[in-house]
Amino acid sequence: MLGMVLHKTVLSTNHLTKTTMEFTIQFVQTPTNDVAHDIVFDKLEQLGEHYSWLIRAKVFFRDVKDSKGKGKICEITLSCPGPQVFASSDEESFEAAAKETIRDLDVQLKKRKDEMQEH
């Protein structure tokens, strides 16, 4: 199915509070890839449990026919207190792109958490 949009709301439990994080995952003009979807969903759920202040995740998968990159792009924007957090990867497969993008987000979120604790 081309251009499928999936909306999922997940409740993550922090030690003392419950938080809600909304996921929007979209495959833009490319067939849905269940493995990539599951990877990004599971990893974002883990990030939501670790960083309880995450509010929303918007995920876009694109297949770009371009000689400059590898062609399978994953873009993720996270809504949280302060500026949004964004990461993107261009890899050989959607699965690899999703994993790399999540790794990049985790680095940014660790920095954000450290900055929040300093204040």
Side-chain angles (χ1 to χ4, degrees):
M1 181 190 263
L2 292 179
M4 184 175 174
V5 179
L6 303 169
H7 294 277
K8 298 206 177 190
T9 301
V10 176
L11 288 176
S12 312
T13 305
N14 197 347
H15 297 293
L16 300 173
T17 62
K18 287 188 176 185
T19 58
T20 302
M21 183 174 167
E22 180 184 339
F23 296 74
T24 303
I25 303 172
Q26 185 172 1
F27 290 82
V28 180
Q29 296 183 354
T30 189
T32 300
N33 179 317
D34 291 335
V35 175
H37 170 270
D38 292 345
I39 288 170
V40 84
F41 185 82
D42 291 342
K43 296 293 186 183
L44 286 174
E45 188 175 33
Q46 290 173 8
L47 287 179
E49 290 170 1
H50 191 71
Y51 304 103
S52 62
W53 33 268
L54 293 176
I55 300 164
R56 184 176 304 108
K58 293 182 181 179
V59 183
F60 295 95
F61 287 100
R62 292 181 173 83
D63 190 0
V64 178
K65 308 283 190 250
D66 186 346
S67 61
K68 295 179 184 175
K70 298 175 184 173
K72 305 293 184 186
I73 296 173
C74 176
E75 298 175 342
I76 302 176
T77 303
L78 297 177
S79 297
C80 52
Q84 292 182 331
V85 179
F86 175 80
S88 177
S89 296
D90 183 0
E91 297 294 333
E92 297 286 336
S93 69
F94 285 132
E95 296 86 350
K99 289 176 184 177
E100 182 62 29
T101 304
I102 296 288
R103 276 192 289 273
D104 292 347
L105 288 171
D106 194 32
V107 169
Q108 293 181 55
L109 292 171
K110 284 178 185 172
K111 289 179 185 177
R112 174 80 57 97
K113 184 177 181 180
D114 291 342
E115 291 171 2
M116 290 170 63
Q117 289 175 342
E118 290 176 7
H119 297 288

